[in-house]
Amino acid sequence: MPEVIRRVLVANRGEIALRIIRACHEEHLEAVAVYSEADRLSPHVRAANAAALLGPPPASESYLSIPKLLDAARATGCQAIHPGYGFLAERATFARAVRDAGLVFVGPPAEAIQAMGDKTEARRRMQAAGVPIVPGTIRPLQDAAEAAREAKRTGYPVLLKAVAGGGGKGMRLVTAEGEIASAFAAARSEAVKAFGGGAVYIEKYLERPRHIEIQILADAHGRVIALGERECSIQRRHQKLVEEAPSVAVSPALRRRLSDAATAAAGAVGYVGAGTIEFLLAPGGEFYFLEMNTRIQVEHPVTELVYGVDLVREQLRIAGGQPMRVHPGTLHPRGHAIECRITAEDPFNEFLPATGVLQYLRVPSGPGLRWDGGVEAGNAVTLYYDPLIAKLVAWGETREAAIERMRQALGELVIVGLPTSQAFHLRVMEDPEFLRGEVDITYLERAGPRLRERDLMPGLERAVAVAAALLADERRTSARPQAHSDHSPIRPSTWAVVARQEGLRQ
Ligand code: ADP
């Protein structure tokens, strides 16, 4: 039996580190942050009870270094490690190393991570458990000839997928037999480069499905429950941009079927902790297991707002061997929640990642809003880590009310210093297809040109341009050092004057 958890090492950075630190404090646990040299000034470092420097900015020398993380946990007297998402969260070797070091891994058993991390093994296990899988192969392909045979049997178009794939990488669409041999060779070498293993398999390419996922929680006392679905169909290059709960496409009866499949999937690998079963939902209503994410997801807040459950606090309780506090009988979705990922990417230039110092930040506020941010004014956004600045989440009694709140919030948000996805999100919130709930995984391909054409926020864009100009002016005229610790070079009073001049709400 592990000793009681009192101190948790948070092996991550940015918004999710801050989110976990807050949950630790609410559970009356101490939290220890870790940081790289690039993150000295990050808010998660200040929020923790203690912090340990890992090393230089590259993730391989900091957030991905298992020995450094274990040393930090030992040196600071932690009993547990929470991996967050990304970095080492889905590495079975990390979960194992943490347990071998006598510490509690806040996540599932290493065996469950391993089984779900191998996409063909996961497909075999799901099939055995009676969970429908996307048609295709359940073992890696041996050679191009086998790929051609299996593709023909499955029926074109097919997707070649890396067995060890993740993050939307290592997928190749093949529409005709003539392309399969070269696509197989390319997919293989891509998989070797990205994941260190060249195994690939085939899945039928589904036409215009929705990406629907089910949140589950399982505790060490044998309870596995589902907390409804999230609609994550708005994606770019298989990466999610906007998520909502519930989905307009899921009726209570379908929700029950999806939930039963999800809990069976989790049970089949002896899952414990918070996890997500991803499905593709075809236009005809059939659904297929896609994969399981064996960690907390970026988009978990929409589920929390609709079900009134704190998933990260439940993760901590479950890791400590306690039963979860959630009771299936009391679980009913209430209202609607939407999340926009505010990233440092230029939506009008192919979502090119942007770097620079975030010079000014005005966070929207008001009823039904949640800002899960990891960057504040004065912090630099670098290319070392993912470009997420914050998750803006809006809740409302209805989908329409949630969208309206999100629209207002996006209008209030001001970020100066680098391009962000803000304007893109505002345009989605005004898009007729989105408003009608007509989304599937091809939405962005279809809506992209339309979203880029229109100019929906001249007021805000003008204000940002003015603020940027003001900033440049202040820099030119005042070469003096900052007398106080305020990182924001624009004093609020100056901003207010500009905003009034521009006729903007404050
Ligand atoms: P990863 O592990 O890299 O995230 P997934 O298997 O979860 O890959 O797929 C990511 C996204 O790719 C899905 O959300 C969906 O948009 C698309 N996708 C994956 N498999 C299929 C398929 N068989 N047919 C159509 N689209 C797919």
Side-chain angles (χ1 to χ4, degrees):
M1 241 349 239
E3 59 175 315
V4 175
I5 301 174
R6 289 183 315 275
R7 232 170 200 230
V8 180
L9 185 99
V10 182
N12 216 299
R13 64 180 298 284
E15 67 87 18
I16 194 63
L18 208 47
R19 165 81 186 88
I20 297 165
I21 291 165
R22 287 176 177 143
C24 286
H25 290 160
E26 287 179 36
E27 285 292 310
H28 306 293
L29 302 171
E30 289 189 337
V32 176
V34 292
Y35 62 101
S36 74
E37 283 160 12
D39 280 337
R40 281 180 193 280
L41 299 177
S42 295
H44 79 276
V45 179
R46 274 199 323 273
N49 301 84
L53 175 66
L54 293 173
S60 57
E61 295 173 58
S62 50
Y63 300 103
L64 285 174
S65 168
I66 295 177
K68 283 182 182 175
L69 288 165
L70 293 179
D71 281 351
R74 280 194 212 98
T76 54
C78 289
Q79 295 83 31
I81 298 187
H82 194 310
Y85 57 68
F87 294 126
L88 296 167
E90 290 182 287
R91 300 262 185 96
T93 45
F94 183 52
R96 220 167 264 131
V98 170
R99 285 186 178 140
D100 290 349
L103 302 168
V104 176
F105 181 70
V106 184
E111 301 69 41
I113 301 178
Q114 196 160 348
M116 288 300 192
D118 177 316
K119 293 199 175 198
T120 43
E121 184 180 344
R123 283 163 65 76
R124 287 197 297 278
R125 296 245 199 158
M126 292 306 107
Q127 204 174 45
V131 178
I133 59 172
V134 183
T137 58
I138 52 169
R139 301 203 182 270
L141 300 163
Q142 295 304 314
D143 49 33
E146 189 188 2
R149 268 197 317 278
E150 290 295 340
K152 195 166 187 175
R153 195 177 56 83
T154 308
Y156 288 95
V158 298
L159 270 183
L160 286 171
K161 279 191 173 185
V163 169
K169 292 192 210 91
M171 262 181 258
R172 216 155 245 270
L173 175 64
V174 190
T175 53
E177 192 162 1
E179 304 159 15
I180 190 83
S182 62
F184 177 74
R188 238 188 170 159
S189 71
E190 223 171 270
V192 171
K193 262 190 232 123
F195 310 109
V200 294
Y201 72 102
I202 280 180
E203 264 180 31
K204 171 91 185 150
Y205 179 75
L206 301 177
E207 304 282 353
R208 296 186 63 164
R210 287 174 186 256
H211 175 119
I212 301 285
E213 56 186 37
I214 299 282
Q215 175 70 52
I216 62 110
L217 276 178
D219 65 19
H221 301 269
R223 285 176 58 211
V224 186
I225 62 155
L227 293 102
E229 78 282 3
R230 292 185 285 259
E231 161 78 70
C232 308
S233 296
I234 301 190
Q235 305 179 348
R236 182 179 170 274
R237 302 210 172 135
H238 312 305
Q239 294 272 34
K240 300 161 190 165
L241 296 170
V242 178
E243 300 99 344
E244 47 184 312
S247 165
V248 297
V250 176
S251 63
L254 179 56
R255 182 171 302 127
R256 266 194 301 278
R257 285 169 54 220
L258 284 162
S259 299
D260 287 348
T263 48
V269 291
Y271 202 83
V272 177
T276 297
I277 319 286
E278 298 186 335
F279 295 99
L280 290 178
L281 175 66
E286 317 80 58
F287 61 84
Y288 306 96
F289 169 85
L290 189 58
E291 66 165 348
M292 179 168 191
N293 289 135
T294 53
R295 54 169 161 81
I296 192 80
Q297 303 261 106
V298 176
E299 59 271 26
H300 76 273
V302 291
T303 301
E304 295 189 322
L305 293 186
V306 167
Y307 281 91
V309 171
D310 187 314
L311 293 166
V312 179
R313 288 183 67 179
E314 291 306 319
Q315 281 189 301
L316 292 165
R317 282 177 63 89
I318 291 168
Q322 299 176 63
M324 69 175 101
R325 263 173 301 211
V326 187
H327 302 287
T330 61
L331 279 179
H332 301 290
R334 180 172 167 253
H336 199 95
I338 300 180
E339 172 181 282
C340 290
R341 298 191 189 193
I342 309 296
T343 57
E345 291 175 309
D346 185 352
F348 305 110
N349 186 13
E350 296 296 317
F351 282 84
L352 196 72
T355 58
V357 174
L358 195 147
Q359 290 164 334
Y360 181 88
L361 174 65
R362 185 173 66 179
V363 174
S365 55
L369 286 185
R370 172 168 164 179
W371 174 267
D372 277 25
V375 186
E376 53 192 20
N379 290 161
V381 175
T382 69
L383 285 180
Y384 290 114
Y385 315 116
D386 81 50
L388 189 65
I389 292 173
K391 303 178 315 202
L392 178 58
V393 197
W395 180 90
E397 290 287 348
T398 61
R399 183 169 189 264
E400 292 68 32
I403 292 173
E404 181 50 39
R405 274 191 177 150
M406 181 60 88
R407 263 217 306 259
Q408 286 196 50
L410 287 164
E412 280 181 27
L413 172 64
V414 179
I415 298 175
V416 178
L418 66 184
T420 75
S421 57
Q422 177 186 3
F424 164 81
H425 288 297
L426 197 48
R427 289 169 191 208
V428 172
M429 294 303 129
E430 307 251 349
D431 182 59
E433 261 185 77
F434 173 76
L435 294 178
R436 289 196 298 270
E438 289 167 8
V439 292
D440 61 64
I441 62 166
T442 65
Y443 167 79
L444 217 55
E445 264 168 57
R446 283 181 284 123
R450 180 170 73 232
L451 298 176
R452 271 194 297 271
E453 252 170 38
R454 294 188 297 153
D455 184 11
L456 289 173
M457 49 183 306
L460 183 58
E461 278 164 0
R462 191 173 65 239
V464 170
V466 169
L470 196 91
L471 202 64
D473 272 351
E474 286 213 343
R475 282 227 173 115
R476 259 200 309 279
T477 53
S478 62
R480 59 186 157 74
Q482 291 265 312
H484 51 80
S485 64
D486 179 8
H487 292 303
S488 166
I490 305 177
R491 289 181 298 279
S493 55
T494 322
W495 170 258
V497 170
V498 174
R500 268 200 302 277
Q501 281 166 355
E502 292 299 315
L504 288 171
R505 276 173 295 165
Q506 265 292 283

